[in-house]
Amino acid sequence: MSVRILALVGSLRAGSTNRQLAETAVKIAPEGVEITIYEGLAEIPFYNEDIDVEGSVPAAGAKLRAAAGEADALLLFSPEYNGTMPGVLKNAIDWLSRPYGAGAMSGKPVAVIGTAFGQYGGLWAHDDARKSVGIAGGTVVEDIKLSIPGSLTRFAEQHPSDDAEVTEQLTHALARLTKEAAAAKA
């Protein structure tokens, strides 16, 4: 059974270590698992019920919903901005939460991981994202926790894929999310 995981990266920065972490996930995905990094979060307008009208949903919002709808699970990579998740990631969660009770992530396994410069690796942002995802209808896989501290120094001279500790932890997170996605499909 194949499993499709949609990765959403909460940093839009070209040199984002969270983007690099997502690329590492794609590279080390278990056999039978396809991870797609979603492109286009920057183009999605801020969520507004006035523009979320059947038949005239903005193309960027509809594209995100379609991608999430085709996925078996979602994997969110979040840095921490001012103690919480970036606005672009929160906006994606808001778009995926609608229509209420039947959003594109409704009932799907979702994990939140990432790296940040601070000593806790984005823990607060990850906790906030998990809370939002759960309220939005996603099934948060609570035991997947990977918050890598010191991103700017740790990955200054090496890509996350070259860090054995990171790849081992990421491998475990992917195996766990894959197990949840397979169970939800069954």
Side-chain angles (χ1 to χ4, degrees):
M1 173 185 303
S2 66
V3 171
R4 295 168 304 197
I5 298 173
L6 182 65
L8 303 179
V9 179
S11 174
L12 303 177
R13 189 171 60 85
S16 164
T17 52
N18 279 284
R19 173 67 185 220
Q20 292 173 0
L21 193 60
E23 292 166 352
T24 301
V26 170
K27 185 176 173 181
I28 67 170
E31 187 174 329
V33 175
E34 176 189 346
I35 300 174
T36 302
I37 300 173
Y38 187 81
E39 304 294 347
L41 288 183
E43 284 77 45
I44 301 169
F46 288 117
Y47 185 79
N48 175 345
E49 281 186 271
D50 291 341
I51 63 172
D52 187 9
V53 178
E54 190 172 337
S56 64
V57 173
K63 179 182 168 197
L64 173 65
R65 286 176 175 166
E70 293 171 5
D72 300 311
L74 282 81
L75 182 56
L76 281 52
F77 292 85
S78 183
E80 188 168 271
Y81 293 173
N82 298 312
T84 192
M85 76 180 107
V88 69
L89 192 56
K90 176 63 169 78
N91 190 47
I93 293 168
D94 290 344
W95 276 99
L96 294 174
S97 73
R98 303 298 177 131
Y100 181 76
M105 76 165 64
S106 187
K108 292 186 183 199
V110 182
V112 181
I113 62 174
T115 184
F117 179 66
Q119 66 182 337
Y120 302 114
L123 182 65
W124 295 340
H126 302 168
D127 286 346
D128 285 348
R130 286 183 193 98
K131 176 184 172 187
S132 290
V133 163
I135 292 169
T139 302
V140 178
V141 185
E142 292 285 352
D143 61 336
I144 297 177
K145 303 232 171 146
L146 179 55
S147 301
I148 305 163
S151 61
L152 295 181
T153 53
R154 183 169 189 163
F155 303 122
E157 296 185 21
Q158 76 174 346
H159 193 279
S161 63
D162 297 325
D163 185 314
E165 180 184 12
V166 168
T167 57
E168 180 181 347
Q169 292 173 334
L170 186 54
T171 297
H172 290 298
L174 292 174
R176 180 76 181 93
L177 184 58
T178 298
K179 181 179 177 184
E180 287 297 317
K185 281 177 71 167

